[in-house]
């Protein structure tokens, strides 16, 4: 393309400091260096994890360009890139896969050593490709998609089916893959089982879809916001409850609703209290509880070790446990084969410049996923 090898000036949503709104700025995006890929973003979803950066729940340097749930097209590649080429439709991967580290070599693991969940904010060579008003702007979680163009390391991007609709499958970059994988890959929900899902945002609803596809017979959705119940039922919940309607903990309510508690419980909120109550909610001897919500920083959990001693399994997963470059193209193929539907998760589609409105919809509880288009 004509822009290859040149600096691209384009619009991006920059967070200059914590707790301040997005500022749409003209930024400079440097060309990709060796083993890097520059991508034109086509569509990107708004996830609670982006909001966590704004509020300080997820560590980050500032100024930063967040956003991590997207589809784009490769604009140009750096030297030595072999797995994608200009013109390819791709999904940037916040959980990268270098294919060389110990986790990547383990068939059951997916937390690649190249992941940036600690807020380093740079590419593998230790530098950034963004500048704005003469200042260095940091990357977020190997992706940074709230911009017309981004640069990622080759290990953090994968080619997908060109025919896949960008405005929908951007959700495979985070929400759907995370929730669905938590149920079918990490939790390994079995047919006929009972499940409880704490939190009915884009991630929790995707957990429900996974539980349903795995053949669970009873799926109980839990949220403080009853407006979320209709969607939860539409994607597969068999009933929904709100903690506001009970004076006792949800774990006790679930124990009464089901014979001796559910087989699987999932926490898709990110609060310490609900993490422990989700653990208490699964069957005491063989139950499995999966943590999906991002934990608050520098906080410790205190819980009765008897909860685990009796036999429960407590696990967590990032990106559902999927090995991103191996599995994302297959999830796209499954979507194209109509194995699951993403329409229920997308409540709003807005132009990129309305990003702040998209976050207001998230924070007021009115949206599930807002997709921004370019
Ligand atoms: P969301 O904010 O859209 O959904 C969270 C839901 O939880 C909302 O519907 C709230 O009303 C509800 N809620 C809040 N507090 C409570 C409570 N005490 N009891 C019951 N319900 C409550 O977020 P999301 O679906 O985009 O993300 C959910 C979490 O998952 C969040 O912490 C996000 O950062 C995390 C996440 N993790 C990964 C991963 O790889 N593990 C990926 C993406 C998102
Ligand atoms: Zn996300």
């Amino acid at each position: 393309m004509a822009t290859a090898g040149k600096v691209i000036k384009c619009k991006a949503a920059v967070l200059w400091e914590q707790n301040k709104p997005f500022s749409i700025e003209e930024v400079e995006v440097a060309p990709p260096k060796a083993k890097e890929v520059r991508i034109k973003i086509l569509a990107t979803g708004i996830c609670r994890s982006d909001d966590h950066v704004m509020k300080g729940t997820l560590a980050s340097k500032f100024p930063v360009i967040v956003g991590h749930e997207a589809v784009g097209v490769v604009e140009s590649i750096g030297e030595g890139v072999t797995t994608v080429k200009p013109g390819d439709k791709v999904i940037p991967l916040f959980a990268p896969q270098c294919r060389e580290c110990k986790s990547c070599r383990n068939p059951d693991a997916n937390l690649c050593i190249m992941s940036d969940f600690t807020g380093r904010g740079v590419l593998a060579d230790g530098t950034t490709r963004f500048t704005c008003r003469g200042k260095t702007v940091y990357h977020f979680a190997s992706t940074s998609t709230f911009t017309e163009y981004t640069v990622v390391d080759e290990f953090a991007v994968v080619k997908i089916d060109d025919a896949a609709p960008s405005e929908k499958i951007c959700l495979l970059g985070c929400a759907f893959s995370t929730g669905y994988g938590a149920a079918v890959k990490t939790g390994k929900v079995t047919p006929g089982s009972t499940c409880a899902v704490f939190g009915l945002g884009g991630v929790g609803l995707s957990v429900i879809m996974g539980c349903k596809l795995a053949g669970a017979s009873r799926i109980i959705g839990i949220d403080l916001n009853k407006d979320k119940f209709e969607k939860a039922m539409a994607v597969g919940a068999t009933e929904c409850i709100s903690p506001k309607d009970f004076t006792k903990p949800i774990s006790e309510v679930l124990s009464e609703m089901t014979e001796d508690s559910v087989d699987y419980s999932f926490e898709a909120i990110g609060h310490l209290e609900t993490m422990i109550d989700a653990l208490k909610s699964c069957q005491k001897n063989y139950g499995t509880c999966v943590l999906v919500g991002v934990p608050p920083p520098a906080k410790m959990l205190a819980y009765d070790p008897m909860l685990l001693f009796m036999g429960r399994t407590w696990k967590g997963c990032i990106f559902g446990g999927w090995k991103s470059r191996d599995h994302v193209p297959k999830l796209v193929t499954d979507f194209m084969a109509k194995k699951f539907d993403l329409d229920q998760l997308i409540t709003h589609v807005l132009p990129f410049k309305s990003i702040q409105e998209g976050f207001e919809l998230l924070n007021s509880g009115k949206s599930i996923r807002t997709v921004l288009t370019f």
Side-chain angles (χ1 to χ4, degrees):
M1 294 194 188
T3 44
K6 296 180 188 154
V7 170
I8 292 180
K9 286 189 181 183
C10 68
K11 293 272 184 278
V14 177
L15 283 177
W16 287 99
E17 48 186 315
Q18 237 178 57
N19 294 314
K20 290 278 159 63
F22 289 96
S23 175
I24 303 279
E25 304 272 0
E26 184 174 270
V27 299
E28 293 88 35
V29 185
K33 292 189 185 175
K35 295 291 216 173
E36 294 175 2
V37 179
R38 191 159 61 182
I39 303 166
K40 181 181 190 333
I41 301 294
L42 300 173
T44 178
I46 291 179
C47 174
R48 177 62 67 186
S49 302
D50 303 308
D51 186 62
H52 284 333
V53 175
M54 199 187 236
K55 303 210 171 115
T57 305
L58 267 176
S60 177
K61 288 177 184 153
F62 289 84
V64 63
I65 296 173
V66 295
H68 60 281
E69 184 177 87
V71 169
V73 57
V74 175
E75 174 270 339
S76 63
I77 54 175
E79 215 183 296
V81 170
T82 57
T83 57
V84 297
K85 59 179 188 313
D88 282 352
K89 190 174 261 196
V90 292
I91 291 190
L93 306 165
F94 77 85
Q97 185 186 354
C98 75
R99 298 197 160 123
E100 286 163 18
C101 72
K102 198 163 179 183
S103 280
C104 281
R105 294 196 317 269
N106 182 310
D108 298 320
N110 79 330
L111 205 53
C112 173
I113 199 169
M114 301 314 288
S115 310
D116 180 13
F117 299 125
T118 52
R120 287 195 312 273
V122 289
L123 297 182
D125 83 333
T127 63
T128 94
R129 298 293 159 269
F130 300 119
T131 49
C132 181
R133 300 195 213 175
K135 292 205 173 83
T136 295
V137 178
Y138 290 96
H139 296 247
F140 169 61
S142 315
T143 45
S144 289
T145 62
F146 293 157
T147 168
E148 289 174 322
Y149 288 86
T150 190
V151 178
V152 303
D153 289 296
E154 186 181 11
F155 54 66
V157 62
V158 71
K159 177 179 161 44
I160 55 155
D161 183 347
D162 283 330
S166 307
E167 283 173 33
K168 295 183 185 182
I169 46 136
C170 57
L171 266 51
L172 296 184
C174 184
F176 182 78
S177 305
T178 297
Y180 176 66
V184 307
K185 181 146 181 61
T186 304
K188 297 191 168 56
V189 168
T190 49
S193 60
T194 52
C195 303
V197 181
F198 288 70
L200 305 175
V203 176
L205 294 185
S206 302
V207 174
I208 290 179
M209 288 162 81
C211 293
K212 186 179 176 188
L213 275 164
S217 60
R218 211 170 159 190
I219 305 168
I220 304 167
I222 301 135
D223 205 297
L224 288 169
N225 180 354
K226 290 189 187 178
D227 293 345
K228 307 271 173 146
F229 291 0
E230 195 185 328
K231 272 283 157 78
M233 300 295 286
V235 299
T238 54
E239 57 235 278
C240 288
I241 54 174
S242 166
K244 285 186 179 159
D245 291 338
F246 303 94
T247 49
K248 55 183 138 191
I250 288 297
S251 52
E252 288 177 30
V253 176
L254 289 171
S255 168
E256 285 163 17
M257 283 173 74
T258 57
E259 189 201 341
D260 193 19
S261 293
V262 295
D263 304 316
Y264 301 90
S265 58
F266 298 86
E267 205 274 5
I269 305 167
H271 293 170
L272 299 184
E273 319 79 68
T274 40
M275 288 179 184
I276 295 175
D277 207 38
L279 173 64
K280 286 183 187 161
S281 296
C282 69
Q283 205 277 349
K284 62 181 176 293
N285 181 210
Y286 59 79
T288 296
C289 174
V290 182
L291 300 186
V292 193
V294 172
K299 292 268 168 54
M300 296 292 176
L301 278 172
Y303 60 93
D304 182 352
M306 280 301 278
L307 290 170
L308 297 180
F309 185 61
M310 287 191 279
R312 289 179 177 88
T313 301
W314 206 8
K315 24 162 90 170
C317 60
I318 289 179
F319 199 54
W322 300 114
K323 282 187 186 293
S324 57
R325 285 162 87 195
D326 291 351
H327 286 123
V328 166
K330 292 182 189 158
L331 290 170
V332 172
T333 304
D334 287 348
F335 171 79
M336 297 301 274
K338 299 194 176 1
K339 189 169 169 192
F340 51 83
D341 176 24
L342 297 171
D343 288 350
Q344 295 286 357
L345 302 177
I346 302 167
T347 50
H348 300 77
V349 179
L350 295 175
F352 174 57
K353 65 175 172 23
S354 305
I355 182 169
Q356 193 58 38
E357 188 188 332
F359 276 80
E360 280 153 23
L361 286 165
L362 176 71
N363 287 320
S364 63
K366 292 196 179 107
S367 61
I368 299 294
R369 273 311 198 247
T370 296
V371 172
L372 303 172
T373 55
F374 291 79

